[in-house]
Amino acid sequence: MSSHTTPAGPADGPAASPRRRLIRELLLVAGLFAVYKTGRMLSTDRTEEAFRNAGRIWDAERTLHLPGEGAIQRLLLHGDALVHTANTYYAAVHFPATVLFLIWLYVRRPGHYLWARRVLAVLTGAALALHLAFPLAPPRMLGAAHLVDTAQVYGPSVYRAAPATDTMANQFAAMPSLHFGWALMLALGMIAATRSRWRVLWLLHPLVTLLVVVGTANHYWLDAIVATVLLGGALLVVPRPRVRAGSLPVVRHLPRPQHGGRAAAPAVREAPAGAVGAGR
């Protein structure tokens, strides 16, 4: 298979165009995140409502016979190093992992990047609406749960001990768990954008995240379940990226010789004829 390439020149457009697209994406993502962080803070003073909702969620989980969050926490509390690692994972992996995921897609899979960015935007917007409509105290604050605030006891912690004095985070925005929602989208995005036979292992990230957010008493099981439902809705409304014909490697087997005396030629792997693309 042959291909023809033409050196880049003035007719190809200004050289700064890729930089402008990158700057636009950075500003867009940063702006969406700033709106989300600002919006979350609007419900920080609804303490009584947040604790009433926490009691309702706790009772609902018992009615549904969901496993107690304490079962996971007791596993973490078997060793200081284990619970410290879980707290560090909660504090340090969530946001950087999502950023690296988007950067990798932007560079290597532009079509999948647009899809993933839109899905995350829809998921985060829906989560913000629910945070405002349903303030929820996490299980570490609920007396009936009898759970340890592992971040405050063992460290590190991203929250202040008194929610009312925390000007950087809304501790009553437990439902849904975006820690889990973003982690699940990262795994699904990488599975969709790669072809490795081991790509299913990306699902370990949301699995570990789920055990961490529950075991550290930052989220209820229902927080993760609701995040999954919202992500499913986002995936339904955002069109998936299209893969153009020829974008995947093609293996062509040469015909075997009609008469003996010569070994069959090996299979020839052709280069991809296109690239992953998506409608804008």
Side-chain angles (χ1 to χ4, degrees):
M1 182 174 63
S2 63
S3 61
H4 176 73
T5 58
T6 304
D12 295 327
S17 180
R19 288 197 296 271
R20 286 202 299 269
R21 288 196 297 269
L22 176 59
I23 293 172
R24 181 193 64 189
E25 288 298 326
L26 290 175
L27 291 176
L28 176 60
V29 173
L32 290 172
F33 184 72
V35 170
Y36 167 73
K37 291 291 287 184
T38 303
R40 271 173 49 117
M41 301 304 294
L42 296 178
S43 61
T44 55
D45 58 346
R46 298 161 65 183
T47 303
E48 292 184 6
E49 186 179 357
F51 277 93
R52 282 198 304 271
N53 289 335
R56 292 167 182 158
I57 291 297
W58 184 258
D59 292 340
E61 287 192 340
R62 308 293 76 80
T63 300
L64 295 171
H65 301 290
L66 292 177
E69 286 80 359
I72 304 300
Q73 184 169 94
R74 285 191 292 273
L75 295 176
L76 295 183
L77 294 178
H78 279 172
D80 289 0
L82 183 59
V83 69
H84 183 82
T85 299
N87 290 333
T88 303
Y89 194 96
Y90 180 86
V93 173
H94 164 59
F95 187 72
T98 307
V99 170
L100 290 175
F101 164 64
L102 290 174
I103 291 174
W104 187 87
L105 288 182
Y106 183 86
V107 174
R108 301 293 300 274
R109 302 288 190 274
H112 285 85
Y113 164 78
L114 290 172
W115 168 66
R117 187 249 282 161
R118 290 166 181 164
V119 170
L120 286 173
V122 172
L123 169 63
T124 305
L128 175 59
L130 190 51
H131 290 161
L132 297 177
F134 192 78
L136 178 65
R140 57 187 165 81
M141 296 183 185
L142 186 63
H146 303 292
L147 296 172
V148 177
D149 187 341
T150 60
Q152 293 296 330
V153 175
Y154 298 92
S157 176
V158 294
Y159 303 121
R160 293 191 178 182
T165 64
D166 198 335
T167 59
M168 298 299 295
N170 180 3
Q171 298 190 43
F172 297 145
M175 179 177 285
S177 169
L178 280 183
H179 269 74
F180 180 74
W182 286 10
L184 183 56
M185 181 57 205
L186 185 157
L188 296 178
M190 291 303 296
I191 289 172
T194 58
R195 292 294 179 267
S196 168
R197 68 178 64 182
W198 303 105
R199 64 187 185 277
V200 70
L201 293 179
W202 283 106
L203 290 173
L204 290 175
H205 176 48
L207 175 60
V208 171
T209 299
L210 176 61
L211 297 178
V212 164
V213 300
V214 171
T216 58
N218 281 292
H219 287 284
Y220 305 89
W221 294 110
L222 281 176
D223 295 340
I225 293 173
V226 171
T228 303
V229 172
L230 293 180
L231 176 59
L235 290 170
L236 286 176
V237 301
V238 178
R240 290 198 61 182
R242 296 189 300 272
V243 180
R244 290 200 293 265
S247 62
L248 298 178
V250 177
V251 177
R252 176 182 297 173
H253 293 277
L254 300 180
R256 295 180 179 275
Q258 297 295 324
H259 302 286
R262 190 173 181 181
V268 176
R269 180 178 293 270
E270 295 186 353
V276 174
R280 292 180 179 265

